């Protein structure tokens, strides 16, 4: 069975600085998707970034980028120029692409990011 | 475009009561799922559906029931509420190749 591990329950970053959130996963599959979701205090789940395992190029979305290391099964999220609005819980998630029809997502336990003014 | 709509947003129940959490999506997504979110445990899959008439169990299905009679709706039923079911519940939907869209969640307290 696949697992997703976020080993940092909480992180802090100074406004305008850069922070990296860690995520590791375990799978025997070669084809899958990885995601980072943001959950602000409003409780909404907001997609931050998505990575297809078959793509070697790391995904980027404005100030958010990932470091995808497939062999190491690592998927870290880098937030550049941190803003107060980035303060939230961040979840890493895995979804298999090899088994059509299951669409199961597996989530990590989350990392709470605090942004200091 | 409403996306994924969950009702109610908050609910308090007494132990033993039953209730249904509603979830509706207007994006014609074939895949829908229910999660519960508890402190320190992330989101755990309760039940999911890959299309109308097709449902399956997730990681924590006990005490919950689902059905999918239409593409749009995927209600979650608590058969006999227990304090251990106090949680925040999220419904999500997606297509095969797109990320999940989440509803705003339902905070459920069981006394």
């Amino acid at each position: 069975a696949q697992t997703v591990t976020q080993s940092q329950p909480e992180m802090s970053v100074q406004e305008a600085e850069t922070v990296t959130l860690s995520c590791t996963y375990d799978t025997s599959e070669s084809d899958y998707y990885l995601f980072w979701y943001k959950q602000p205090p409003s409780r909404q789940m907001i997609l931050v970034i998505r990575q297809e395992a078959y793509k070697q190029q790391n995904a980027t979305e404005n100030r958010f980028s990932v470091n995808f290391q497939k062999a190491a099964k690592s998927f870290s999220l880098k937030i550049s120029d941190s803003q107060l609005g980035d303060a939230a819980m961040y979840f890493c998630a895995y979804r298999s692409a090899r088994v059509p029809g299951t669409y199961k997502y597996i989530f990590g336990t989350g990392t709470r990011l605090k942004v200091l003014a | 475009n409403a996306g994924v709509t969950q009702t109610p947003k908050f609910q308090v129940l007494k132990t033993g009561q039953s209730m249904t959490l509603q979830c509706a999506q207007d994006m014609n997504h074939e895949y829908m799922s229910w999660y519960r979110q508890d402190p320190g445990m992330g989101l755990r899959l309760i039940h999911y559906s890959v299309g109308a008439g097709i449902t399956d169990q997730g990681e924590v299905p006990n005490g919950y029931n689902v059905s999918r009679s239409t593409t749009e709706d995927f209600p979650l039923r608590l058969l006999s509420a227990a304090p251990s079911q106090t949680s925040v519940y999220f419904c999500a939907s997606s297509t095969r190749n797109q990320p999940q869209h989440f509803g705003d969640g339902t905070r459920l307290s069981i006394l």
Side-chain angles (χ1 to χ4, degrees), chain A residues 51-85:
Chain A
Q51 175 81 42
E52 289 90 345
Y54 66 86
K55 290 186 177 179
Q56 292 188 339
Q57 186 173 5
N58 289 326
T60 62
E61 287 288 342
N62 300 315
R63 297 182 295 107
F64 298 87
S65 62
V66 297
N67 184 5
F68 173 49
Q69 302 288 328
K70 191 172 183 179
K73 297 179 183 175
S74 171
F75 183 60
S76 60
L77 175 69
K78 186 171 82 171
I79 306 174
S80 303
D81 186 25
S82 297
Q83 301 175 359
L84 294 177

Side-chain angles (χ1 to χ4, degrees), chain A residues 8-45:
Chain A
Q8 305 155 316
E10 190 171 292
M11 295 279 287
S12 296
V13 62
Q14 206 70 34
E15 196 176 6
E17 296 295 311
T18 296
V19 64
T20 298
L21 308 184
S22 300
C23 174
T24 59
Y25 58 94
D26 188 27
T27 184
S28 59
E29 300 174 340
S30 60
D31 196 12
Y32 48 87
Y33 300 96
L34 295 165
F35 307 89
W36 278 99
Y37 279 90
K38 170 185 178 181
Q39 187 180 43
S42 66
R43 207 172 65 197
Q44 289 179 303
M45 292 288 289

Side-chain angles (χ1 to χ4, degrees), chain A residues 104-106, chain B residues 41 43-47 57-62:
Chain A
K104 286 185 179 181
Y105 283 67
I106 300 167
Chain B
M41 301 190 75
L43 277 76
R44 292 183 292 168
L45 184 63
I46 304 171
H47 285 285
Q57 296 181 350
E59 181 184 357
V60 288
N62 292 340

Side-chain angles (χ1 to χ4, degrees), chain A residues 101-105, chain B residues 25 29-33 35 45 48-51 68 92-96 100:
Chain A
T102 60
Y103 306 124
K104 286 185 179 181
Y105 283 67
Chain B
Q25 52 94 6
H29 286 170
E30 65 267 33
Y31 175 63
M32 297 185 75
S33 57
Y35 297 89
L45 184 63
Y48 66 98
S49 169
V50 299
R68 184 102 178 264
S93 74
S94 69
T95 61
R96 175 177 174 177
Q100 286 185 324

